[in-house]
Amino acid sequence: KAGVTQTPRYLIKTRGQQVTLSCSPISGHRSVSWYQQTPGQGLQFLFEYFSETQRNKGNFPGRFSGRQFSNSRSEMNVSTLELGDSALYLCASSLGWGELNTEAFFGQGTRLTVV
Amino acid sequence: GDSVTQMEGPVTLSEEAFLTINCTYTATGYPSLFWYVQYPGEGLQLLLKATKADDKGSNKGFEATYRKETTSFHLEKGSVQVSDSAVYFCALSSNAGGTSYGKLTFGQGTILTVHP
């Protein structure tokens, strides 16, 4: 069974640009969450999608957005990139939403560098 | 809000030493607790979990017990190996108010290095 796939693995962008990251969850999983990992702030929750609807959102500015498609694949977008957006962005998929004992499976992440 | 505090790292041990990484939490409701491990250049892998008080999660020789009275979930292993070198994250997921289990709150991570 294929795991969580994130593309691209590495990305270099210039300040002010925008970027779109993609995540394909494990087959049959309907919930996708996104996290930002930086050395200073650690792992921080960005948002969670289930059935194409955002169910939870972390404390990030509106420049960070996401969406989920009917096949459960998800994308996140960061507009007007800042140097501080440089991070490893991790996607996690889980079976459902609000279910007991569900566990999150993580992808390998997308390493974004803003120059 | 929810929070997780891990012991300060990094931790350096010799092979076959005993490992403890402390983790305490603050949460509303009855959270589920997890330990994730991250190897260099990779994403997070679930190491073990516990979903209710007094549950013991275990995997690959690692164990952690959900202690509600002390709000703790310490990770232990009796004999570490060089291959255990990685970053370990304690995390919680709370379903208070119907919030889904998809939102994880992580500790800051503990770097473990095991020398031969």
Side-chain angles (χ1 to χ4, degrees):
Chain A
K1 185 166 167 179
V4 179
T5 305
Q6 290 188 246
T7 56
R9 288 292 311 278
Y10 303 92
L11 209 47
I12 299 175
K13 289 287 188 178
T14 304
R15 269 183 304 175
Q17 287 186 312
Q18 75 164 16
V19 67
T20 299
L21 311 182
S22 179
C23 173
S24 293
I26 291 171
S27 177
H29 284 195
R30 299 174 62 195
S31 178
V32 173
S33 301
W34 288 89
Y35 295 83
Q36 182 196 64
Q37 185 177 22
T38 60
Q41 299 298 316
L43 279 153
Q44 295 186 286
F45 172 78
L46 280 156
F47 25 65
E48 177 189 15
Y49 287 87
F50 177 78
S51 290
E52 302 176 65
T53 302
Q54 188 178 91
R55 303 289 177 159
N56 253 317
K57 190 178 191 310
N59 294 323
F60 279 81
R63 302 185 296 107
F64 292 81
S65 62
R67 59 178 176 168
Q68 186 180 34
F69 303 95
S70 58
N71 61 357
S72 296
R73 191 177 70 84
S74 177
E75 289 181 347
M76 67 162 282
N77 185 275
V78 188
S79 62
T80 320
L81 283 165
E82 300 177 359
L83 294 179
D85 297 332
S86 295
L88 181 67
Y89 289 88
L90 292 165
C91 167
S93 80
S94 51
L95 198 57
W97 181 76
E99 294 179 1
L100 287 172
N101 300 320
T102 191
E103 67 180 74
F105 295 83
F106 284 80
Q108 290 187 291
T110 294
R111 172 75 62 185
L112 172 65
T113 302
V114 182
V115 297
Chain B
D2 297 342
S3 67
V4 176
T5 302
Q6 283 181 239
M7 67 184 290
E8 294 294 325
V11 174
T12 303
L13 295 172
S14 298
E15 206 163 29
E16 300 184 3
F18 183 84
L19 168 71
T20 299
I21 301 177
N22 291 337
C23 170
T24 57
Y25 68 89
T26 302
T28 52
Y30 301 95
S32 289
L33 301 174
F34 306 85
W35 277 99
Y36 280 88
V37 58
Q38 186 175 36
Y39 297 99
E42 298 187 13
L44 301 176
Q45 298 176 25
L46 179 66
L47 183 58
L48 53 84
K49 67 178 183 180
T51 57
K52 61 183 187 295
D54 300 325
D55 266 3
K56 178 185 281 189
S58 61
N59 186 28
K60 299 180 182 179
F62 291 90
E63 293 184 338
T65 301
Y66 189 146
R67 301 286 189 201
K68 190 167 174 61
E69 64 276 12
T70 54
T71 62
S72 65
F73 192 54
H74 305 321
L75 182 69
E76 296 182 336
K77 186 175 186 183
S79 176
V80 294
Q81 305 300 312
V82 172
S83 58
D84 292 328
S85 298
V87 183
Y88 291 81
F89 293 92
C90 184
L92 71 81
S93 169
S94 174
N95 70 339
T99 302
S100 86
Y101 280 73
K103 177 183 177 181
L104 291 163
T105 299
F106 287 92
Q108 62 267 47
T110 300
I111 300 173
L112 170 66
T113 303
V114 181
H115 292 298

PDB file of all heavy atoms in Angstrom, chain B residues 81-101:
ATOM      1  N   GLN B  81      20.028   1.089  20.681  1.00  0.00           N
ATOM      2  CA  GLN B  81      20.954   0.701  19.631  1.00  0.00           C
ATOM      3  C   GLN B  81      21.342   1.941  18.822  1.00  0.00           C
ATOM      4  O   GLN B  81      20.635   2.948  18.837  1.00  0.00           O
ATOM      5  CB  GLN B  81      20.304  -0.336  18.710  1.00  0.00           C
ATOM      6  CG  GLN B  81      19.772  -1.557  19.426  1.00  0.00           C
ATOM      7  CD  GLN B  81      20.868  -2.303  20.172  1.00  0.00           C
ATOM      8  OE1 GLN B  81      21.935  -2.569  19.608  1.00  0.00           O
ATOM      9  NE2 GLN B  81      20.611  -2.649  21.422  1.00  0.00           N
ATOM     10  N   VAL B  82      22.440   1.822  18.097  1.00  0.00           N
ATOM     11  CA  VAL B  82      22.874   2.941  17.259  1.00  0.00           C
ATOM     12  C   VAL B  82      21.770   3.343  16.287  1.00  0.00           C
ATOM     13  O   VAL B  82      21.555   4.532  16.010  1.00  0.00           O
ATOM     14  CB  VAL B  82      24.158   2.572  16.494  1.00  0.00           C
ATOM     15  CG1 VAL B  82      24.506   3.646  15.474  1.00  0.00           C
ATOM     16  CG2 VAL B  82      25.317   2.352  17.465  1.00  0.00           C
ATOM     17  N   SER B  83      21.029   2.363  15.808  1.00  0.00           N
ATOM     18  CA  SER B  83      19.956   2.628  14.847  1.00  0.00           C
ATOM     19  C   SER B  83      18.777   3.394  15.448  1.00  0.00           C
ATOM     20  O   SER B  83      17.887   3.846  14.711  1.00  0.00           O
ATOM     21  CB  SER B  83      19.446   1.309  14.260  1.00  0.00           C
ATOM     22  OG  SER B  83      18.993   0.452  15.292  1.00  0.00           O
ATOM     23  N   ASP B  84      18.758   3.566  16.759  1.00  0.00           N
ATOM     24  CA  ASP B  84      17.696   4.347  17.403  1.00  0.00           C
ATOM     25  C   ASP B  84      17.981   5.849  17.343  1.00  0.00           C
ATOM     26  O   ASP B  84      17.140   6.662  17.753  1.00  0.00           O
ATOM     27  CB  ASP B  84      17.537   3.935  18.874  1.00  0.00           C
ATOM     28  CG  ASP B  84      17.001   2.519  19.028  1.00  0.00           C
ATOM     29  OD1 ASP B  84      16.213   2.087  18.155  1.00  0.00           O
ATOM     30  OD2 ASP B  84      17.386   1.845  20.002  1.00  0.00           O
ATOM     31  N   SER B  85      19.160   6.231  16.870  1.00  0.00           N
ATOM     32  CA  SER B  85      19.507   7.639  16.765  1.00  0.00           C
ATOM     33  C   SER B  85      18.525   8.338  15.832  1.00  0.00           C
ATOM     34  O   SER B  85      18.382   7.963  14.666  1.00  0.00           O
ATOM     35  CB  SER B  85      20.940   7.805  16.241  1.00  0.00           C
ATOM     36  OG  SER B  85      21.864   7.219  17.128  1.00  0.00           O
ATOM     37  N   ALA B  86      17.849   9.349  16.354  1.00  0.00           N
ATOM     38  CA  ALA B  86      16.799  10.037  15.606  1.00  0.00           C
ATOM     39  C   ALA B  86      16.263  11.159  16.489  1.00  0.00           C
ATOM     40  O   ALA B  86      16.751  11.382  17.599  1.00  0.00           O
ATOM     41  CB  ALA B  86      15.663   9.079  15.255  1.00  0.00           C
ATOM     42  N   VAL B  87      15.248  11.860  15.986  1.00  0.00           N
ATOM     43  CA  VAL B  87      14.555  12.865  16.794  1.00  0.00           C
ATOM     44  C   VAL B  87      13.205  12.280  17.207  1.00  0.00           C
ATOM     45  O   VAL B  87      12.483  11.737  16.368  1.00  0.00           O
ATOM     46  CB  VAL B  87      14.341  14.174  16.012  1.00  0.00           C
ATOM     47  CG1 VAL B  87      13.684  15.226  16.915  1.00  0.00           C
ATOM     48  CG2 VAL B  87      15.670  14.698  15.469  1.00  0.00           C
ATOM     49  N   TYR B  88      12.885  12.398  18.489  1.00  0.00           N
ATOM     50  CA  TYR B  88      11.659  11.825  19.028  1.00  0.00           C
ATOM     51  C   TYR B  88      10.715  12.950  19.442  1.00  0.00           C
ATOM     52  O   TYR B  88      11.116  13.891  20.129  1.00  0.00           O
ATOM     53  CB  TYR B  88      11.986  10.924  20.214  1.00  0.00           C
ATOM     54  CG  TYR B  88      12.720   9.680  19.783  1.00  0.00           C
ATOM     55  CD1 TYR B  88      14.093   9.711  19.538  1.00  0.00           C
ATOM     56  CD2 TYR B  88      12.043   8.483  19.578  1.00  0.00           C
ATOM     57  CE1 TYR B  88      14.763   8.580  19.099  1.00  0.00           C
ATOM     58  CE2 TYR B  88      12.704   7.342  19.147  1.00  0.00           C
ATOM     59  CZ  TYR B  88      14.062   7.400  18.909  1.00  0.00           C
ATOM     60  OH  TYR B  88      14.731   6.278  18.464  1.00  0.00           O
ATOM     61  N   PHE B  89       9.465  12.822  19.025  1.00  0.00           N
ATOM     62  CA  PHE B  89       8.448  13.830  19.315  1.00  0.00           C
ATOM     63  C   PHE B  89       7.299  13.204  20.097  1.00  0.00           C
ATOM     64  O   PHE B  89       6.733  12.187  19.683  1.00  0.00           O
ATOM     65  CB  PHE B  89       7.873  14.425  18.029  1.00  0.00           C
ATOM     66  CG  PHE B  89       8.826  15.247  17.231  1.00  0.00           C
ATOM     67  CD1 PHE B  89       9.582  14.669  16.226  1.00  0.00           C
ATOM     68  CD2 PHE B  89       8.966  16.608  17.482  1.00  0.00           C
ATOM     69  CE1 PHE B  89      10.473  15.429  15.477  1.00  0.00           C
ATOM     70  CE2 PHE B  89       9.845  17.369  16.745  1.00  0.00           C
ATOM     71  CZ  PHE B  89      10.606  16.793  15.748  1.00  0.00           C
ATOM     72  N   CYS B  90       6.952  13.846  21.187  1.00  0.00           N
ATOM     73  CA  CYS B  90       5.748  13.492  21.923  1.00  0.00           C
ATOM     74  C   CYS B  90       4.608  14.359  21.371  1.00  0.00           C
ATOM     75  O   CYS B  90       4.833  15.539  21.042  1.00  0.00           O
ATOM     76  CB  CYS B  90       5.961  13.765  23.414  1.00  0.00           C
ATOM     77  SG  CYS B  90       4.608  13.274  24.486  1.00  0.00           S
ATOM     78  N   ALA B  91       3.420  13.796  21.252  1.00  0.00           N
ATOM     79  CA  ALA B  91       2.316  14.564  20.673  1.00  0.00           C
ATOM     80  C   ALA B  91       1.000  14.139  21.301  1.00  0.00           C
ATOM     81  O   ALA B  91       0.876  13.036  21.842  1.00  0.00           O
ATOM     82  CB  ALA B  91       2.252  14.359  19.155  1.00  0.00           C
ATOM     83  N   LEU B  92       0.031  15.040  21.228  1.00  0.00           N
ATOM     84  CA  LEU B  92      -1.295  14.697  21.697  1.00  0.00           C
ATOM     85  C   LEU B  92      -2.341  15.103  20.669  1.00  0.00           C
ATOM     86  O   LEU B  92      -2.126  15.999  19.851  1.00  0.00           O
ATOM     87  CB  LEU B  92      -1.602  15.322  23.054  1.00  0.00           C
ATOM     88  CG  LEU B  92      -1.834  16.829  23.171  1.00  0.00           C
ATOM     89  CD1 LEU B  92      -3.244  17.241  22.777  1.00  0.00           C
ATOM     90  CD2 LEU B  92      -1.589  17.259  24.619  1.00  0.00           C
ATOM     91  N   SER B  93      -3.454  14.431  20.747  1.00  0.00           N
ATOM     92  CA  SER B  93      -4.591  14.728  19.901  1.00  0.00           C
ATOM     93  C   SER B  93      -5.813  14.723  20.796  1.00  0.00           C
ATOM     94  O   SER B  93      -6.067  13.743  21.488  1.00  0.00           O
ATOM     95  CB  SER B  93      -4.708  13.663  18.810  1.00  0.00           C
ATOM     96  OG  SER B  93      -5.929  13.781  18.148  1.00  0.00           O
ATOM     97  N   SER B  94      -6.526  15.839  20.789  1.00  0.00           N
ATOM     98  CA  SER B  94      -7.655  15.963  21.692  1.00  0.00           C
ATOM     99  C   SER B  94      -8.959  15.974  20.932  1.00  0.00           C
ATOM    100  O   SER B  94      -9.064  16.596  19.887  1.00  0.00           O
ATOM    101  CB  SER B  94      -7.520  17.269  22.493  1.00  0.00           C
ATOM    102  OG  SER B  94      -8.666  17.486  23.275  1.00  0.00           O
ATOM    103  N   ASN B  95      -9.938  15.313  21.469  1.00  0.00           N
ATOM    104  CA  ASN B  95     -11.254  15.322  20.830  1.00  0.00           C
ATOM    105  C   ASN B  95     -12.244  16.178  21.605  1.00  0.00           C
ATOM    106  O   ASN B  95     -13.436  16.068  21.458  1.00  0.00           O
ATOM    107  CB  ASN B  95     -11.809  13.903  20.683  1.00  0.00           C
ATOM    108  CG  ASN B  95     -12.182  13.295  22.015  1.00  0.00           C
ATOM    109  OD1 ASN B  95     -11.697  13.734  23.058  1.00  0.00           O
ATOM    110  ND2 ASN B  95     -13.034  12.303  21.993  1.00  0.00           N
ATOM    111  N   ALA B  96     -11.695  17.063  22.437  1.00  0.00           N
ATOM    112  CA  ALA B  96     -12.574  17.939  23.215  1.00  0.00           C
ATOM    113  C   ALA B  96     -13.427  18.785  22.299  1.00  0.00           C
ATOM    114  O   ALA B  96     -12.943  19.366  21.350  1.00  0.00           O
ATOM    115  CB  ALA B  96     -11.729  18.843  24.113  1.00  0.00           C
ATOM    116  N   GLY B  97     -14.705  18.828  22.564  1.00  0.00           N
ATOM    117  CA  GLY B  97     -15.611  19.637  21.748  1.00  0.00           C
ATOM    118  C   GLY B  97     -15.777  19.104  20.352  1.00  0.00           C
ATOM    119  O   GLY B  97     -16.215  19.822  19.457  1.00  0.00           O
ATOM    120  N   GLY B  98     -15.416  17.858  20.136  1.00  0.00           N
ATOM    121  CA  GLY B  98     -15.598  17.280  18.815  1.00  0.00           C
ATOM    122  C   GLY B  98     -14.454  17.524  17.859  1.00  0.00           C
ATOM    123  O   GLY B  98     -14.525  17.174  16.686  1.00  0.00           O
ATOM    124  N   THR B  99     -13.393  18.171  18.342  1.00  0.00           N
ATOM    125  CA  THR B  99     -12.231  18.381  17.474  1.00  0.00           C
ATOM    126  C   THR B  99     -11.687  17.039  17.015  1.00  0.00           C
ATOM    127  O   THR B  99     -11.598  16.113  17.788  1.00  0.00           O
ATOM    128  CB  THR B  99     -11.121  19.129  18.249  1.00  0.00           C
ATOM    129  OG1 THR B  99     -11.645  20.355  18.708  1.00  0.00           O
ATOM    130  CG2 THR B  99      -9.929  19.390  17.358  1.00  0.00           C
ATOM    131  N   SER B 100     -11.317  16.980  15.763  1.00  0.00           N
ATOM    132  CA  SER B 100     -10.899  15.693  15.214  1.00  0.00           C
ATOM    133  C   SER B 100      -9.519  15.298  15.702  1.00  0.00           C
ATOM    134  O   SER B 100      -8.748  16.107  16.193  1.00  0.00           O
ATOM    135  CB  SER B 100     -10.882  15.752  13.703  1.00  0.00           C
ATOM    136  OG  SER B 100      -9.646  16.264  13.275  1.00  0.00           O
ATOM    137  N   TYR B 101      -9.209  14.067  15.507  1.00  0.00           N
ATOM    138  CA  TYR B 101      -7.895  13.548  15.856  1.00  0.00           C
ATOM    139  C   TYR B 101      -6.843  13.922  14.839  1.00  0.00           C
ATOM    140  O   TYR B 101      -5.697  13.554  14.978  1.00  0.00           O
ATOM    141  CB  TYR B 101      -7.968  12.022  16.001  1.00  0.00           C
ATOM    142  CG  TYR B 101      -8.530  11.587  17.320  1.00  0.00           C
ATOM    143  CD1 TYR B 101      -9.884  11.724  17.582  1.00  0.00           C
ATOM    144  CD2 TYR B 101      -7.715  11.081  18.307  1.00  0.00           C
ATOM    145  CE1 TYR B 101     -10.405  11.349  18.797  1.00  0.00           C
ATOM    146  CE2 TYR B 101      -8.232  10.695  19.520  1.00  0.00           C
ATOM    147  CZ  TYR B 101      -9.573  10.837  19.765  1.00  0.00           C
ATOM    148  OH  TYR B 101     -10.080  10.458  20.973  1.00  0.00           O
TER     149      TYR B 101
END
